[in-house]
Amino acid sequence: MPRGARFAGAGEAGEPAAVPVAVVDAEARAAVAEVVERLGRLRAEGRSGEAHVLLVEVVHWPAERFPALADALHSAGLGADWATLLWETASLPAERLVAAADALAAAGREADGRQMLRQGVARPAEQIGAAVLRLEEQGRRREAAALLDACVRGRTAEEAVRSVVPDPPRLVPLLLHAAQAVSDERHWDLVHALRVAGHTT
């Protein structure tokens, strides 16, 4: 029988079995410790290429492991590797990016979470809009709002407006709400850019 969190309930009928939190936490701690040890060894041996490959692999870890990884890397004097990992998360699908940023914020690393989102919204604005729609459909409205907030703050008004292309009737109100939460000035910038782009507000 397969073991480990990702195989929970394998081979059983019905819903997957719940995995005890302690088991997941123990696995996460072990994985974090192993990666930090490997990174430290690779850096000490000057094998920077292999270290970077390892970081790229770690980017695809479950979101809940990121706070522990950040703490462990900084404790080991590998803060530069954490900065690299933050940069690499920009390649994640938007939903996973938001989940990772959310986990960091919940663990008191709000600045890291914001940086992750800022880097992530550098992708084509249409992709951001499509991701927001998927998050909304999943009932993850707070995460959808966080993604739009990063888009509004990190892109020009003209660029941010392109995020509504996948579904203007649904996305225009969400975008304007995000802009209003930033400032009145930003809201009016978006209203103007939407009108120029042919979208009613």
Side-chain angles (χ1 to χ4, degrees):
M1 191 71 169
R3 299 180 65 184
R6 69 181 185 279
F7 297 114
E12 298 176 8
E15 292 296 318
V19 181
V21 173
V23 173
V24 176
D25 287 348
E27 290 180 356
R29 284 194 298 271
V32 167
E34 179 187 357
V35 162
V36 171
E37 189 276 331
R38 286 175 61 192
L39 274 173
R41 187 172 67 251
L42 290 170
R43 292 301 184 194
E45 295 171 358
R47 297 156 66 185
S48 57
E50 292 172 67
H52 187 79
V53 169
L54 179 57
L55 287 171
V56 171
E57 293 174 1
V58 169
V59 163
H60 299 281
W61 272 8
E64 60 270 16
R65 292 187 181 182
F66 277 72
L69 183 61
D71 291 342
L73 286 172
H74 282 95
S75 295
L78 297 170
D81 283 311
W82 173 247
T84 299
L85 192 145
L86 280 178
W87 176 257
E88 291 294 340
T89 57
S91 65
L92 285 173
E95 294 93 331
R96 293 190 61 193
L97 177 80
V98 175
D102 206 39
L104 288 167
R109 288 187 166 274
E110 293 90 350
D112 285 340
R114 286 194 298 270
Q115 181 179 341
M116 189 178 281
L117 286 172
R118 282 197 303 271
Q119 291 167 177
V121 297
R123 70 192 68 206
E126 293 84 355
Q127 291 182 18
I128 297 170
V132 167
L133 290 174
R134 290 192 295 271
L135 288 167
E136 284 280 325
E137 289 164 359
Q138 295 166 16
R140 297 164 64 186
R141 291 181 174 82
R142 184 172 57 83
E143 291 157 289
L147 191 56
L148 279 176
D149 178 79
C151 180
V152 167
R153 293 176 186 274
R155 308 293 290 267
T156 67
E158 293 73 21
E159 291 169 341
V161 160
R162 288 202 291 274
S163 68
V164 308
V165 168
D167 191 339
R170 292 173 63 191
L171 288 168
V172 166
L174 294 173
L175 184 68
L176 287 177
H177 182 75
Q180 184 68 66
V182 173
S183 70
D184 289 340
E185 181 180 2
R186 194 61 176 154
H187 178 258
W188 285 113
D189 286 345
L190 266 293
V191 168
H192 176 71
L194 284 164
R195 289 173 178 166
V196 169
H199 300 292
T200 56
T201 59

